Amino acid sequence: MKEIKLLHLFPKLLSLYGEYGNVKIIEKNLKDKGYEANITEYEILSDENIDISEFDFIYVGSGTEKNLIEASERLLPHKEAFCEFISSDKCVLASGNAMTLFGKTLKLKEKEYETLGAFTYTSEIFTDKRFQGDILTDDNNIFASKLIGFINTSAIYSGIETPLTNNLLGAKLGNDKASGGDGFISGNFIGTQLIGPIAVKNPNVLAKICEMITGESFYADAQSNCALAYARGLSALEERLFSYRKD
């Protein structure tokens, strides 16, 4: 089978919440299927020339407010290459607050920063507010599955018209902190506020991302440790949601 090249962007700069587990489990799942999958890590330093066109998948995770601004500044000289990668319909996963990097602008402390502009939504990070809690989504999404996870963010997003999921539990933790719509999807670009990491906690997410990368069908192993942990987590969150609605 063909070689699959995975790019982990900013593994040191944006490395909160153990989210490197997303790209590691994707690599493992591809290898289990017989692919030659390899991860390359880029921090994109000022003197680093990069060619992202050779990659099949890009992953980027969460970071502190300061590091997000630093990451955005490092990305801007490569704006054309990243926007071209996304428009070519190659798969990208941005989790936690990494979605801020791909919108039009990012506002922090009344100062507005230019971001990649691959999409038209905007974001604002607050230093005096924190939004956090457990999440349970409905199953009306590309994964055809209820998602479980956790949100811990200070970011609010505006102008997202195609959210990835709809939160049942944690509805006030969505993109705009008012409606239940959460994350963003456009083509093979997946943005999500969920941390955890999402591809480890949700077997159908892992399978779908591998499908998007390879064009081949993948199925979640119902007997895997991840699937069994997902089933327990789903049951607990559904019970909590039922309890809230009953009250």
Side-chain angles (χ1 to χ4, degrees):
M1 289 187 174
K2 65 172 282 191
E3 179 185 9
I4 301 294
K5 295 183 177 182
L6 311 172
L7 173 57
H8 186 179
L9 196 59
F10 303 123
K12 295 178 181 178
L13 191 66
L14 305 181
S15 60
L16 294 178
Y17 311 122
E19 289 181 288
Y20 68 89
N22 281 313
V23 72
K24 293 297 291 185
I25 199 169
I26 290 169
E27 177 194 38
K28 182 182 185 302
N29 206 37
L30 291 170
K31 285 183 174 179
D32 288 347
K33 192 77 169 181
Y35 285 92
E36 181 184 346
N38 296 291
I39 299 172
T40 298
E41 298 181 346
Y42 273 163
E43 291 295 332
I44 310 187
L45 304 177
S46 58
D47 58 350
E48 188 172 19
N49 293 318
I50 65 172
D51 179 11
I52 63 171
S53 64
E54 64 179 295
F55 293 98
D56 303 290
F57 170 76
I58 294 177
Y59 170 71
V60 57
S62 301
T64 63
E65 290 83 359
K66 177 182 176 181
N67 286 2
L68 277 173
I69 299 301
E70 175 68 19
S72 180
E73 291 174 348
R74 293 189 196 180
L75 279 174
L76 277 178
H78 309 281
K79 176 177 180 177
E80 183 177 347
F82 277 91
C83 288
E84 185 175 323
F85 185 96
I86 292 169
S87 64
S88 71
D89 223 21
K90 290 185 177 180
C91 190
V92 177
L93 173 62
S95 63
N97 57 15
M99 282 204 318
T100 60
L101 300 173
F102 296 89
K104 190 175 180 180
T105 58
L106 166 59
K107 187 176 181 181
L108 173 65
K109 294 181 178 179
E110 301 305 317
K111 184 175 180 180
E112 196 166 79
Y113 298 86
E114 180 186 359
T115 44
L116 277 176
F119 306 105
T120 59
Y121 63 80
T122 61
S123 55
E124 182 172 4
I125 292 178
F126 294 86
T127 56
D128 60 344
K129 297 178 182 179
R130 202 82 199 164
F131 309 96
Q132 55 186 326
D134 291 314
I135 298 297
L136 170 65
T137 79
D138 64 21
D139 57 6
N140 184 25
N141 52 60
I142 62 167
F143 313 112
S145 172
K146 293 180 179 179
L147 273 58
I148 63 173
F150 191 81
I151 284 178
N152 182 10
T153 187
S154 56
I156 292 181
Y157 301 87
S158 301
I160 291 182
E161 297 181 357
T162 53
L164 177 69
T165 59
N166 182 58
N167 296 343
L168 299 176
L169 183 65
K172 295 299 179 65
L173 297 173
N175 295 324
D176 57 11
K177 308 303 178 279
S179 60
D182 190 77
F184 176 72
I185 183 164
S186 178
N188 280 350
F189 180 94
I190 296 173
T192 175
Q193 292 193 98
L194 296 186
I195 56 177
I198 184 174
V200 176
K201 283 193 167 186
N202 297 275
N204 281 5
V205 171
L206 174 61
K208 184 63 178 179
I209 290 174
C210 288
E211 282 187 7
M212 294 166 79
I213 294 171
T214 65
E216 181 183 357
S217 294
F218 279 72
Y219 301 96
D221 180 1
Q223 299 305 313
S224 69
N225 289 334
C226 288
L228 296 175
Y230 166 78
R232 290 193 294 270
L234 176 64
S235 177
L237 291 178
E238 287 184 325
E239 184 176 340
R240 190 192 306 179
L241 179 64
F242 176 77
S243 177
Y244 287 163
R245 288 176 170 175
K246 187 177 181 180
D247 292 342

